[in-house]
Amino acid sequence: MAKILLAVIMLLHVSSSSSSLPSSTVLDPLFLYIDEHQNEFVQRLGEWVAVKSDSSDQMLWGEIQRLLNMTANRIQEMGGQVEFADIGTQQLSNGESVALPPVILAQFERDPNKPTLCIYGHLDVQPAKKEDGWATDPYTLTELNGNLYGRGATDNKGPVLAWLHALETYKATKQEVPVNLKFVIEGMEEVGSDGLDELTRQRKESFFSDVDYIVISDNVWVSRRPALTYGTRGSSYFFVEVDGPKLDLHSGVFGGSVHEPMTDLIALLGSLLDHTGKILVPGINESVAPLTEEERELYKDIHFDLEEMKKPIGVKSFLQDNKEEILMARWRYPSLSIHGIEGAFSDKGSKTVIPRRVIGKFSLRQVPNMEPVVVERQVKEHLQAVFAKQKSPNNLKVTSSVGAKPWVANLNDPQYIAGRKAVKVVFGVEPELIREGSTIPIANNFQEVTGKSVMMLPIGGHDDGEHSQNEKISRYNFIQGTKLFAAFFYELSKLQKDP
């Protein structure tokens, strides 16, 4: 019966211009098709999750290429043109240079009367092993209680597929796609998107020249309500190396008589922040953009339940006392996190060794008005000053990597207006306007290099566990997210013609 109804709706409206019809007339057959084909969509996600596209392991780059090929084939089947853009090589530790997986640049037939939307996504994933604590095989999509578990389900294979399924839905129901579409799909995002920045600069006057809007779906909601994201933090990663004796020493023989590299390192790491989470590096907090009343108001309507957020991560309390302060600490203020110590004894059991060399690792998340180059200088000067006070004969070396800038967008941009309308159509509520505490370098890169409007339109749930064990996306979010993307195409075109 549902198939008959879909056919009738298609026959009634296939010859009409979608921009002149009420949204329900245009979107109802699309939503019906998506509901009818959801099992097929989930099956396809399972096929993608099964590809071990872990970009951190060069031995698995062939799997990334395989998934890029699968994606390109799907785009070509829908009438798109695909280019595998070369982004150069990477030198391995043994000196060998290997070609990086290419970037898909895809586009469909262009109508000069329609706005052009460019969709970014990535197909690579974080490492995952069942023995890391997964309840299921991370590369076998498993549905439990309405959730689809598997590495990449929410970051970022599910959202990329949802965009392709939204396009498929228009074509399958024989409705005119209301916007021109382009895709940028890469396979190295999880390790820094090597080569993508330069590729964007090279194609600024060609591939990106006629793009009006760029949309990214590579993050998640902050609560159970849908959201639009208008900002991310930047990030710099630091390595603090303390090198002392020429070999490891016996603590029973030399303990108490030598300057131990580990002791020096602990003092250095301990000087970075206090028990409240405040960063103690001089100058870091001075460049943070001041909080305006307009921005403060945005936090009041966000449905963030403190108790609900404590449970899945297993903490008893947060550093802040209320919702607004917690969200601002996560989104609009810098933070510093210590991640580990290389060279220290970490195996089971005991070992009474004094390591000759240790490397502390930490990252600093940056916010608007902070420059990575300046942050790097401030951190190095601080650590060198602290080390000098220790009067240690050991050697200190501080290096950094990444240096990704933060990103913030204009909420009054037409793309955000269309996004809000699409969310209201699909979910029946106004979206929460949120920022993202993590770093998505490509957002700022696209905005700075191309000068185009950039928006983040997430469909992942707040509890999806991206990068973690048992990553998932709910069937509800995956399917309703596909509807959201289909509605976004329509609302963006409608806004363009009826401002």
Side-chain angles (χ1 to χ4, degrees), residues 1 89 218 252 362 385 399 462:
M1 189 66 179
T89 62
D218 191 20
F362 67 92
T399 56
H462 73 282

Short mmCIF file of all heavy atoms in Angstrom, two decimals, residues 1 89 218 252 362 385 399 462:
data_model
loop_
_atom_site.label_atom_id
_atom_site.label_comp_id
_atom_site.label_asym_id
_atom_site.label_seq_id
_atom_site.Cartn_x
_atom_site.Cartn_y
_atom_site.Cartn_z
N MET A 1 0.82 -1.21 0.00
CA MET A 1 0.00 0.00 0.00
C MET A 1 0.86 1.26 0.00
O MET A 1 0.58 2.24 -0.68
CB MET A 1 -0.91 -0.01 1.23
CG MET A 1 -1.97 1.10 1.22
SD MET A 1 -3.14 0.87 -0.12
CE MET A 1 -4.23 2.28 0.15
N THR A 89 52.44 12.78 -1.37
CA THR A 89 52.99 11.61 -0.70
C THR A 89 53.29 11.91 0.77
O THR A 89 53.29 13.06 1.20
CB THR A 89 54.29 11.15 -1.38
OG1 THR A 89 55.27 12.20 -1.27
CG2 THR A 89 54.05 10.81 -2.83
N ASP A 218 30.18 16.30 10.57
CA ASP A 218 31.24 15.48 11.17
C ASP A 218 31.31 15.72 12.67
O ASP A 218 32.38 15.74 13.25
CB ASP A 218 32.58 15.82 10.51
CG ASP A 218 33.67 14.83 10.89
OD1 ASP A 218 33.34 13.71 11.32
OD2 ASP A 218 34.86 15.17 10.77
N GLY A 252 67.68 1.56 42.95
CA GLY A 252 68.32 1.22 44.21
C GLY A 252 69.76 1.67 44.28
O GLY A 252 70.30 1.94 45.35
N PHE A 362 50.74 16.40 25.53
CA PHE A 362 49.50 17.10 25.89
C PHE A 362 49.03 17.95 24.72
O PHE A 362 49.78 18.24 23.79
CB PHE A 362 49.72 17.98 27.14
CG PHE A 362 50.64 19.15 26.96
CD1 PHE A 362 50.16 20.40 26.59
CD2 PHE A 362 52.01 19.01 27.17
CE1 PHE A 362 51.02 21.48 26.44
CE2 PHE A 362 52.88 20.08 27.02
CZ PHE A 362 52.37 21.33 26.64
N ALA A 385 61.01 28.29 31.18
CA ALA A 385 61.20 29.05 32.42
C ALA A 385 61.07 28.15 33.64
O ALA A 385 61.85 28.25 34.60
CB ALA A 385 60.18 30.19 32.48
N THR A 399 58.47 20.30 21.38
CA THR A 399 58.04 20.40 19.98
C THR A 399 56.51 20.34 19.93
O THR A 399 55.85 19.94 20.90
CB THR A 399 58.63 19.26 19.14
OG1 THR A 399 58.26 17.99 19.72
CG2 THR A 399 60.14 19.35 19.07
N HIS A 462 24.19 12.55 20.92
CA HIS A 462 25.15 13.00 21.93
C HIS A 462 25.89 11.84 22.60
O HIS A 462 26.96 12.02 23.16
CB HIS A 462 24.44 13.83 23.00
CG HIS A 462 23.59 13.02 23.93
ND1 HIS A 462 22.34 12.56 23.57
CD2 HIS A 462 23.80 12.57 25.19
CE1 HIS A 462 21.83 11.88 24.58
NE2 HIS A 462 22.69 11.87 25.57
#
